[in-house]
Amino acid sequence: MTTQQVPGRRDPRLDRSRSAILSAAVALLAEGGVRAVTIEAVTSRSGVARSTLYRHFPTSTELLAAAFQELLPPLDPPVDGAPRDRLLRLVLAQAAQIEGAPSMAALVWMAAIGLSGTPDEGERTRLAALREHVVDTYRRPFDAVLADCLPGDPDVDFAAARLVGPLLFNALILRRPSDESFCARLVDDFLARR
Amino acid sequence: MTTQQVPGRRDPRLDRSRSAILSAAVALLAEGGVRAVTIEAVTSRSGVARSTLYRHFPTSTELLAAAFQELLPPLDPPVDGAPRDRLLRLVLAQAAQIEGAPSMAALVWMAAIGLSGTPDEGERTRLAALREHVVDTYRRPFDAVLADCLPGDPDVDFAAARLVGPLLFNALILRRPSDESFCARLVDDFLARR
Amino acid sequence: MTTQQVPGRRDPRLDRSRSAILSAAVALLAEGGVRAVTIEAVTSRSGVARSTLYRHFPTSTELLAAAFQELLPPLDPPVDGAPRDRLLRLVLAQAAQIEGAPSMAALVWMAAIGLSGTPDEGERTRLAALREHVVDTYRRPFDAVLADCLPGDPDVDFAAARLVGPLLFNALILRRPSDESFCARLVDDFLARR
Amino acid sequence: MTTQQVPGRRDPRLDRSRSAILSAAVALLAEGGVRAVTIEAVTSRSGVARSTLYRHFPTSTELLAAAFQELLPPLDPPVDGAPRDRLLRLVLAQAAQIEGAPSMAALVWMAAIGLSGTPDEGERTRLAALREHVVDTYRRPFDAVLADCLPGDPDVDFAAARLVGPLLFNALILRRPSDESFCARLVDDFLARR
DNA sequence: TCTTAACCGAGACGGTACGTCGCGTCTTTTG
DNA sequence: CAAAAGACGCGACGTACCGTCTCGGTTAAGA
């Protein structure tokens, strides 16, 4: 019997180069922000050739997206304690993450997805999917906690708007942290009105 | 009596070229978004020389800022009607503006001010000032309306976070409009908890 | 046997673009003089991109140097006839070349190499080397002829100074041609004193 | 009787600004070479306005010419000693001056006058006149000395070509100083052949 | 002495060229 | 045949000077 490969098996070099690219991109992103994630910089830092990079990421934007995804850890929903407490802890965690530098950049950058500029159809689609995916990732813990806090039909989007929206406002508009008392008031007001 | 000039008289060419630049920039911004506001495009469209443009706007960023400011009309605070009505109308107006394409872009763009990237001290300062100015412009109508709605000490920032934050969330994260019933619930919840 | 490439084979595009650049530069140089050899002009005339040009010639000066080199044919040392005749013919040829427009410009331009202006170390070195090379090119025919004319140790530099220096003086300072009788007197005087 | 001005009297401001310009230009020329003599640099250094400068020197070239002229002291013809000695001293002085940095630059620059480039008729004429003037300045001491050395009709141009040409050659082409023995050989060879 | 015209500084303006950076496509050669 | 290496055309950047121009303020000449 030959050493025939399993048909679904991929060329291992593909993974090697992809991860080299990604880790270089992530490092550059963490060090110098979005502006530093240049095709040139990534290739020269990762030792990967230009053409190889383009094989993996048709656009610099997609590379950036992947790097951001790598950099944004999902939140773990608090699982024990009173409902009000669990919600508060989740909101605090979300606030903390939003205020971190990479999240801030990612937030803004993702918010910018699909605003004017004219990327082609395909890219727009892929990016929209990425956005969806990230949003889902962050909605999930709220789903979990709210399902336990609220009886019946929890309108998660509305809840998220009321709970996370103000955090966004503080971070993006007022440029001030959302401290514990702020989050507590948010949560209590929210719970008081259903 | 002599035909003495007013001392403060400036070279009229300054105004001529500045407005030519700005109107070209605004047009490009409206047509093609931030990406279209190129130094090259602005100069060639306005007929103004490169060096002249740089004399007026040391950085492309500042040009963009000025163009955005030109494009973002301030909101008029509703002056008559019941307090709850006035507040609702203001929130609706704010929602409508946020959802407009230029505001959306401006919002994201201003949110990005000061994130990584390394503009020099001077520019960072000017941009921060611009941000402040724009934020103030939009806070003002809330000041006016809230002063009438709430007796005592209205914490305008907290109020704005609770009222506008969710609009931001809808626009930037969920990409859905904030309809009338959404805004009404926001306002009513807000008023119910002082 | 495989169709293996010769190992030293280079990307043919390199040669293509280099020669396109050079021929454009030479044409411009011949038509409009040094002042016409602009990066912009060369790129637009040769259809070569700016960045490509800079890849081949890090400095406009080096481009100019190459163009001049292309434009200056070396002199062939006369090989037959009496020594005095051979020397005279060489001097006449040298005079004729010096008086030609391109040589004149090249002469002045090379004389200017390394005078004030502050190019970086690397470029200065390359230009000095170029100067050496050109000087050698023109010294060589004198070496050949003088070796035959003079027994023993011909001090070629001194000879060249005495034979070519006056040609330079006529061309650069007096702006008059060095005619046959002038050259003949030069040669005869030179031979009379060793 | 009034304090009537002499009719030919000029506005003293003209002289003031002209000399301010010139001294700035000379300083820049001495410090940074031809490249440093910029209209901008001269105006900002001299405190003279752009328009004033252009009133005095229609072209930056003419300004440069004037600066060079300021920088090149004429040679004094040696007046005592044996003819051979006087000639030798003159040649040595000429060699010394040629080798000085400013003279070198001036030499090259003046040699370049009228090579291609397309200044307008008027300027070309003025520059040619300047060249003539400078050449005359340097021919004069040779006239004086040769008149005493040689009986009959001294062909000064031919003499200068033979005596100064080799100095030029050393300075411009070989980039080596013309030392005393070199000059002595030049002079002796020259005198030996009339 | 008092205008008044010339001269002046300051600097805006439209240009041209520069040298750099990053992009996305491409070709060639190596493992 | 993927990958490295890197050339290529392109478009935009920000800078440096150019030569022309408009503006008020100052100052010297002449009425």
Side-chain angles (χ1 to χ4, degrees), chain D residues 31-47:
Chain D
E31 289 167 16
V34 174
R35 299 290 301 259
V37 185
T38 301
I39 298 288
E40 315 259 348
V42 172
T43 53
S44 92
R45 177 155 183 158
S46 64

Side-chain angles (χ1 to χ4, degrees), chain B residues 124-134:
Chain B
R124 195 176 4 261
T125 305
R126 279 192 296 272
L127 287 175
L130 166 69
R131 243 183 49 80
E132 286 291 300
H133 177 70
V134 170

Side-chain angles (χ1 to χ4, degrees), chain A residues 55-162:
Chain A
R55 207 170 296 121
H56 289 286
F57 303 94
T59 296
S60 62
T61 316
E62 306 204 24
L63 169 58
L64 197 53
F68 268 132
Q69 221 170 344
E70 205 87 342
L71 213 57
L72 292 183
L75 298 178
D76 297 319
V79 289
D80 54 336
R84 187 258 184 194
D85 247 37
R86 292 168 61 193
L87 192 53
L88 177 55
R89 270 182 287 152
L90 178 57
V91 168
L92 281 168
Q94 181 71 76
Q97 199 194 51
I98 284 177
E99 281 152 25
S103 298
M104 198 83 154
L107 191 53
V108 166
W109 185 84
M110 300 215 148
I113 289 178
L115 297 184
S116 57
T118 335
D120 61 56
E121 183 57 20
E123 188 182 359
R124 196 178 0 263
T125 306
R126 277 191 297 272
L127 287 174
L130 165 70
R131 241 181 50 80
E132 287 292 301
H133 177 69
V134 171
V135 169
D136 275 358
T137 299
Y138 286 93
R139 194 204 329 259
R140 195 154 304 125
F142 280 90
D143 276 337
V145 172
L146 289 174
D148 293 352
C149 294
L150 304 178
D153 164 41
D155 180 348
V156 178
D157 281 347
F158 183 60
R162 284 187 56 192

Side-chain angles (χ1 to χ4, degrees), chain D:
Chain D
M1 192 175 190
T2 71
T3 59
Q4 185 73 32
Q5 296 279 359
V6 179
R9 193 93 160 68
R10 297 194 332 137
D11 191 326
R13 289 174 294 180
L14 286 174
D15 300 324
R16 244 183 51 83
S17 49
R18 179 170 224 275
S19 75
I21 292 167
L22 260 186
S23 70
V26 168
L28 287 165
L29 183 53
E31 289 167 16
V34 174
R35 299 290 301 259
V37 185
T38 301
I39 298 288
E40 315 259 348
V42 172
T43 53
S44 92
R45 177 155 183 158
S46 64
V48 159
R50 235 178 157 67
S51 47
T52 304
L53 191 154
Y54 276 105
R55 208 170 295 121
H56 289 287
F57 303 95
T59 296
S60 61
T61 315
E62 306 203 25
L63 169 57
L64 197 53
F68 267 132
Q69 220 170 344
E70 206 87 342
L71 214 57
L72 291 183
L75 298 179
D76 296 319
V79 288
D80 55 336
R84 188 260 185 193
D85 247 38
R86 291 169 62 194
L87 191 53
L88 177 55
R89 273 183 283 152
L90 178 57
V91 168
L92 281 168
Q94 180 72 75
Q97 200 196 50
I98 285 178
E99 280 153 25
S103 297
M104 198 83 155
L107 191 54
V108 168
W109 185 84
M110 298 212 151
I113 289 179
L115 298 185
S116 59
T118 334
D120 60 55
E121 182 59 20
E123 188 181 1
R124 190 170 14 255
T125 305
R126 277 191 297 270
L127 288 175
L130 164 69
R131 241 182 50 80
E132 285 292 301
H133 177 69
V134 171
V135 168
D136 274 357
T137 299
Y138 285 93
R139 194 206 325 261
R140 196 153 303 125
F142 280 89
D143 277 337
V145 173
L146 289 174
D148 293 351
C149 294
L150 304 178
D153 163 44
D155 180 348
V156 179
D157 282 346
F158 183 60
R162 286 187 57 193
L163 291 168
V164 182
L167 305 181
L168 280 187
F169 189 86
N170 276 350
L172 298 182
I173 307 298
L174 299 181
R175 291 285 158 100
R176 68 163 57 152
S178 302
D179 60 21
E180 176 142 12
S181 81
F182 182 91
C183 294
R185 286 174 73 188
L186 274 185
V187 167
D188 290 335
D189 283 359
F190 172 74
L191 292 176
R193 300 281 296 180
R194 218 97 358 164

Side-chain angles (χ1 to χ4, degrees), chain C residues 32-35 104-105 107-118 131-132 135 139 155 157-158 160-162 164-166 168-170 172-176 182 185-186 188-189 192-194, chain D residues 32-35 101 104-105 107-118 131-132 135 139 155 157-158 160-162 164-166 168-170 172-176 182 185-186 188-189 192-193:
Chain C
V34 174
R35 301 288 301 258
M104 197 83 155
L107 191 53
V108 167
W109 184 83
M110 300 214 147
I113 288 178
L115 297 185
S116 60
T118 333
R131 242 181 51 80
E132 285 293 299
V135 169
R139 193 205 327 260
D155 180 348
D157 282 346
F158 183 61
R162 285 187 57 193
V164 181
L168 279 187
F169 189 87
N170 275 352
L172 298 183
I173 307 297
L174 299 182
R175 293 284 160 99
R176 68 162 59 152
F182 181 90
R185 287 174 72 186
L186 274 186
D188 290 334
D189 285 358
R193 303 279 296 180
R194 229 122 331 143
Chain D
V34 174
R35 299 290 301 259
M104 198 83 155
L107 191 54
V108 168
W109 185 84
M110 298 212 151
I113 289 179
L115 298 185
S116 59
T118 334
R131 241 182 50 80
E132 285 292 301
V135 168
R139 194 206 325 261
D155 180 348
D157 282 346
F158 183 60
R162 286 187 57 193
V164 182
L168 280 187
F169 189 86
N170 276 350
L172 298 182
I173 307 298
L174 299 181
R175 291 285 158 100
R176 68 163 57 152
F182 182 91
R185 286 174 73 188
L186 274 185
D188 290 335
D189 283 359
R193 300 281 296 180

Side-chain angles (χ1 to χ4, degrees), chain C residues 27 33 52 59 65 78 81 96-97 118 125 131 135 142 145 148 155 159 180 182 189:
Chain C
T52 302
T59 296
Q97 200 195 52
T118 333
T125 306
R131 242 181 51 80
V135 169
F142 280 90
V145 172
D148 292 352
D155 180 348
E180 176 144 11
F182 181 90
D189 285 358

